[in-house]
């Protein structure tokens, strides 16, 4: 049983294969061009095939550097999501995989950079060896070119009695190559999941070394260390004939001394457009940074959760969107993403922030949410807000049935959704495509239920008043408790309301049986398209994704579960 999941995955596969195909085409086309091009025949005499390896990987490196900034251009993605008719249905879902594509392209950059570095290290050794006393014939003759006033050199290593690394670091290509390599190593190593979980700030700061990376990339080719025969020299010096008649160079009219020049740098041409686009993103962010954000309310919840209510001129949002927040008094550079938890119908926008790192802990402390008395709004530190930006959850109303699954603080994206449903329930004229919502929340700390249970209780009451009790089915799972809590639950057991949340729906203890849950939903909604929206850890994400595949029908007329994961 596969269903429309096959279509979505097929599109993802097509995009990945297209990316691989373009990389393969660029690599093979460039490789064979440098293997066959006459102007580089004498270069190949010294370097062999490593010239082609270096140049082919460089072209693929440029191509991937052109792509790497596009998936993280948030305003561009939001524009494509909101206005382009080309991005509907399965194609729209591909926009939600922007970070996956960003990582894929990063792997492509790392692989091609490695090939490029290794090939040039070999080239350096070949250049050095060709100046040795052991070198003879055409190789030795080519390496000695450039010593006379009317000659241009082919070999950048001018003497055998030198240190190749020292010589390399005296060139533009060597210095920029070292900077690019160090920047790439820093970016890649700090992007591992372990580093991001342990210190998001370290990840954020080291990721901005990309500025050095792109500057180094743009001027890397300016040293023109790879040289080929000039077009004018090719007209006068017939390489096919002259390579076999080395003794006749300078004496025969057909074999004047060949002249060489470096190849024009081209990396800047590849990355100029995306860099300008990304610069516009940053300019727009700076403009939004200047706009005033008024903090109207601060609430400190259990489990280290800070709730902020804010207002900003001309701020418009949709359920499921997120914003980037900066607190200049903590860091003038860092922007952190947070899902909006307010509804579009409210006259403010809000976020819930859990203290889970240096920056968020400092923010909670600055707002007095670490056990101190909460501060008055006028005495609070200034915040800057960029956004809102689209995310997968904005599609929740596009399905007749939706399953919303959250763990811990991952419930925040669904707060705005449920609030929006509450407000729309108040409007009797509202017509929805969405007819049923299944909401699952898995949490280990009973105290975390407090702020969200109030929302569920008000929504439960409103649904009952409107005669729509069937619309929302919610399931709360508590996975962590101690003996005292278990005794309290047993002592205060109530048939009508839950002891922990105060809701009519009882809290489940332990983890959900996802096979049972998906089977029940599939049985209740045959021949339906069901959107599955998840926000939580990767391990559970894989389980939910597997359930979507397992319970989707291969028949286009059958039931289909469409998996969506919140990621920003």
């Amino acid at each position: 049983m596969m269903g429309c999941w096959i279509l979505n995955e097929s599109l993802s596969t097509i995009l990945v294969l297209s990316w691989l195909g373009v990389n393969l085409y660029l690599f093979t086309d460039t490789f064979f061009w440098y293997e066959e091009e006459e102007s580089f025949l004498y270069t190949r005499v010294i370097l062999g095939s490593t010239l082609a390896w270096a140049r082919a990987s460089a072209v693929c490196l440029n191509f991937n550097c052109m792509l790497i900034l596009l998936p993280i251009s948030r305003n561009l993605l939001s524009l494509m999501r909101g206005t382009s008719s080309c991005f509907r249905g399965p194609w729209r879902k591909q926009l939600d995989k922007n970070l996956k594509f960003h990582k894929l392209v990063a792997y492509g950059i790392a692989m091609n950079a490695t090939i490029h570095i290794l090939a040039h290290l070999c080239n350096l050794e070949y250049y050095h060896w060709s100046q040795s006393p052991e070198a003879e014939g055409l190789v030795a003759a080519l390496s000695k070119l450039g010593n006379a006033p009317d000659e241009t050199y082919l070999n950048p290593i001018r003497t055998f009695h030198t240190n190749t690394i020292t010589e390399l670091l005296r060139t533009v290509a060597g210095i920029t190559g070292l900077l690019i390599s160090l920047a790439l190593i820093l970016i890649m190593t700090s992007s591992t999941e372990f580093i991001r979980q342990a210190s998001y700030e370290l990840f954020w700061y080291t990721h901005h070394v990309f500025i050095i990376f792109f500057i180094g990339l743009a001027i890397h080719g300016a040293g023109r260390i790879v040289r080929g025969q000039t077009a004018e020299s090719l007209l006068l010096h017939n390489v096919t004939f002259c390579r076999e008649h080395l003794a006749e160079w300078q004496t025969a009219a057909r074999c004047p001394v060949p002249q060489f020049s470096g190849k024009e740098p081209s990396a800047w041409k590849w990355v100029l457009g995306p860099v300008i686009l990304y610069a516009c993103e940053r300019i727009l962010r700076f403009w939004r940074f200047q706009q005033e954000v008024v903090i109207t309310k601060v609430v400190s919840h259990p489990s280290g959760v800070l709730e902020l209510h804010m207002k900003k001129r001309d701020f418009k949002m949709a359920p499921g969107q997120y914003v980037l927040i900066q607190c200049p008094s903590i860091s003038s550079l860092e922007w952190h993403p947070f899902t909006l938890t307010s509804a579009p119908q409210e006259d403010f926008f809000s976020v819930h922030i859990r203290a889970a790192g240096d920056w968020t802990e400092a923010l909670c402390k600055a707002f007095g949410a670490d056990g101190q008395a909460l501060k008055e709004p006028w005495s609070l530190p200034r915040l800057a807000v960029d956004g809102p930006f689209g995310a997968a959850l904005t599609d929740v109303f596009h399905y007749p049935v939706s399953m919303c699954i959250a763990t811990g603080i991952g419930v925040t994206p669904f707060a705005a959704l449920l609030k929006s449903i509450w407000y729309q329930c108040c409007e009797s004229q509202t017509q929805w495509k969405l007819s049923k919502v299944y909401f699952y929340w898995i949490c280990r700390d009973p105290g975390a239920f407090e702020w969200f249970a109030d929302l569920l209780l008000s929504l439960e009451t409103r649904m009952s008043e409107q005669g729509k009790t069937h619309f929302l089915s919610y399931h709360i799972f508590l996975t962590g408790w101690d003996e005292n809590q278990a005794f309290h639950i047993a002592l205060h057991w109530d048939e009508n309301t839950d002891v922990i949340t105060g809701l009519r729906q009882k809290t489940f203890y332990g983890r959900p049986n996802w096979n049972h849950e998906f089977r029940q939903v599939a049985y209740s909604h045959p021949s339906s398209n069901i959107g599955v929206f998840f926000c939580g850890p990767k391990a559970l994400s894989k389980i939910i994704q597997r359930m979507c595949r397992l319970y989707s029908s291969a028949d286009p007329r059958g039931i289909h579960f469409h998996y969506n994961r919140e990621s920003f």
Side-chain angles (χ1 to χ4, degrees):
M1 301 174 75
M2 292 295 175
C4 282
W5 174 84
I6 295 177
L7 178 59
N8 294 325
E9 291 302 308
S10 295
L11 287 176
S12 298
T13 305
I14 289 169
L15 291 174
V16 171
L17 290 177
S18 299
W19 171 78
L20 285 171
V22 173
N23 272 281
L24 185 61
Y25 168 76
L26 289 174
F27 192 93
T28 53
D29 182 65
T30 307
F31 186 92
F32 287 113
W33 189 87
Y34 275 94
E35 283 284 273
E36 298 168 0
E37 174 58 26
E38 269 195 343
S39 61
F40 287 95
L41 188 147
Y42 286 143
T43 315
R44 291 195 298 274
V45 169
I46 298 176
L47 302 181
S49 291
T50 53
L51 168 68
W53 281 98
R55 298 310 306 157
S57 57
V59 170
C60 290
L61 186 60
N62 292 337
F63 170 67
N64 285 286
C65 288
M66 178 186 74
L67 296 178
I68 194 71
L69 293 176
L70 297 179
I72 55 171
S73 299
R74 301 172 191 269
N75 289 290
L76 173 65
L77 294 178
S78 292
L79 182 67
M80 292 168 68
R81 180 188 293 276
T83 61
S84 177
S85 59
C86 298
F87 290 94
R88 293 288 181 264
W91 284 107
R92 183 186 178 95
K93 287 173 66 65
Q94 304 312 310
L95 295 177
D96 301 327
K97 300 178 180 178
N98 61 314
L99 292 183
K100 284 187 177 179
F101 185 66
H102 178 71
K103 293 175 185 176
L104 181 66
V105 173
Y107 291 133
I109 290 174
M111 184 181 71
N112 285 293
T114 302
I115 295 171
H116 187 72
I117 291 167
L118 292 175
H120 269 316
L121 287 175
C122 292
N123 289 339
L124 202 60
E125 288 305 312
Y126 285 137
Y127 276 137
H128 185 242
W129 178 86
S130 65
Q131 290 287 12
S132 72
E134 298 175 8
E136 54 186 27
L138 185 57
V139 171
L142 290 170
S143 292
K144 288 179 173 57
L145 288 176
N147 293 334
D150 59 339
E151 296 175 352
T152 53
Y153 71 90
L154 174 60
N155 188 342
I157 304 295
R158 303 309 303 149
T159 175
F160 180 68
H161 304 289
T162 186
N163 184 292
T164 53
I165 301 299
T166 303
E167 285 294 318
L168 181 65
L169 293 179
R170 288 175 180 169
T171 65
V172 173
I175 295 170
T176 55
L178 180 62
L179 286 174
I180 291 169
S181 301
L182 291 175
L184 185 60
I185 290 169
L186 272 174
I187 291 170
M188 295 293 290
T189 53
S190 64
S191 299
T192 59
E193 189 169 354
F194 173 77
I195 296 293
R196 292 202 316 271
Q197 298 268 335
S199 176
Y200 183 84
E201 289 75 18
L202 178 62
F203 158 75
W204 196 94
Y205 279 112
T206 52
H207 230 62
H208 281 71
V209 178
F210 86 90
I211 297 170
I212 296 173
F213 178 89
F214 274 95
I215 292 172
L217 183 70
I219 61 178
H220 179 62
R224 305 190 182 190
I225 200 167
V226 175
R227 299 169 69 81
Q229 198 172 349
T230 63
E232 295 81 3
S233 176
L234 277 172
L235 294 174
L236 302 172
H237 182 100
N238 188 319
V239 291
T240 307
F241 173 80
C242 295
R243 67 176 298 183
E244 305 295 338
H245 299 80
L246 179 59
E248 299 179 26
W249 284 18
Q250 293 185 323
T251 58
R254 294 174 65 183
C255 295
V257 175
Q259 302 296 317
F260 301 93
S261 65
K263 193 176 184 299
E264 282 277 340
S266 60
W268 67 270
K269 299 175 184 177
W270 288 86
V271 301
L272 182 62
V275 166
I276 290 174
L277 178 66
Y278 191 76
C280 292
E281 289 262 333
R282 288 307 181 99
I283 292 169
L284 183 58
R285 180 177 296 179
F286 179 76
W287 176 69
R288 288 171 174 166
F289 170 80
Q290 303 296 326
Q291 295 177 317
E292 183 184 13
V293 175
V294 179
I295 301 167
T296 58
K297 187 178 179 182
V298 179
V299 182
S300 179
H301 293 288
S303 303
V305 175
L306 173 69
E307 179 180 357
L308 298 177
H309 290 205
M310 295 166 279
K311 288 186 177 181
K312 184 179 177 182
R313 186 177 179 182
D314 298 326
F315 187 90
K316 296 179 181 179
M317 60 160 289
Q321 290 187 315
Y322 68 95
V323 293
L324 296 173
I325 293 179
Q326 185 199 78
C327 183
S329 63
I330 298 174
S331 172
S332 58
L333 297 176
E334 292 183 50
W335 292 80
H336 291 253
F338 295 100
T339 308
L340 292 166
T341 55
S342 51
Q345 294 86 347
E346 293 174 307
D347 63 351
F348 63 90
F349 62 95
S350 66
V351 293
H352 285 69
I353 301 169
R354 179 167 60 93
D358 295 341
W359 190 89
T360 49
E361 286 176 2
L363 185 72
C364 290
K365 185 176 181 180
F367 280 84
D370 60 343
Q372 306 172 14
L374 291 175
K375 299 180 180 180
E376 293 296 324
W378 59 266
S379 66
L380 296 172
R382 177 178 178 266
L383 292 181
V385 174
D386 185 16
F389 304 106
L393 192 59
T394 56
D395 294 338
V396 74
F397 289 102
H398 296 169
Y399 296 94
V401 180
S402 288
M403 293 176 69
C404 301
I405 304 168
T407 63
I409 196 65
V411 75
T412 52
F414 303 107
L417 167 69
L418 296 178
K419 282 185 181 180
S420 184
I421 290 173
W422 187 90
Y423 278 103
Q424 292 184 54
C425 276
C426 299
E427 303 170 9
S428 56
Q429 302 301 318
T430 303
Q431 296 295 320
W432 292 338
K433 181 178 182 179
L434 181 65
S435 61
K436 179 71 176 181
V437 175
Y438 292 90
F439 175 68
Y440 299 85
W441 189 17
I442 305 101
C443 193
R444 69 163 60 102
D445 182 8
F449 291 124
E450 182 183 294
W451 70 272
F452 203 73
D454 293 340
L455 171 61
L456 287 175
L457 182 60
S458 60
L459 186 60
E460 187 179 64
T461 304
R462 174 59 64 179
M463 291 292 181
S464 179
E465 291 173 354
Q466 295 287 329
K468 297 179 179 179
T469 53
H470 67 282
F471 182 82
L472 175 66
S473 175
Y474 54 89
H475 310 267
I476 299 175
F477 293 84
L478 179 63
T479 60
W481 64 88
D482 56 31
E483 290 183 6
N484 292 332
Q485 290 167 340
F487 180 73
H488 173 79
I489 292 166
L491 187 64
H492 295 86
W493 179 261
D494 190 324
E495 289 291 337
N496 297 318
T497 59
D498 184 70
V499 178
I500 295 176
T501 62
L503 300 168
R504 293 187 193 132
Q505 174 68 53
K506 299 294 184 181
T507 298
F508 297 94
Y509 300 95
R511 301 185 182 279
N513 181 335
W514 292 115
N515 269 303
H516 173 75
E517 299 299 335
F518 273 82
R519 192 182 300 114
Q520 286 290 102
V521 172
Y523 178 80
S524 301
H525 305 279
S527 305
S528 294
N529 284 316
I530 299 175
V532 179
F533 299 86
F534 175 77
C535 187
K538 186 180 293 185
L540 183 55
S541 173
K542 291 179 180 178
I543 294 172
I544 301 301
Q545 201 166 6
R546 188 169 68 247
M547 291 295 108
C548 290
R549 293 197 299 266
L550 182 62
Y551 288 97
S552 290
S553 172
D555 186 348
R557 296 167 296 181
I559 188 169
H560 302 104
F561 290 90
H562 303 267
Y563 180 76
N564 303 268
R565 186 186 180 190
E566 284 291 299
S567 59
F568 42 78

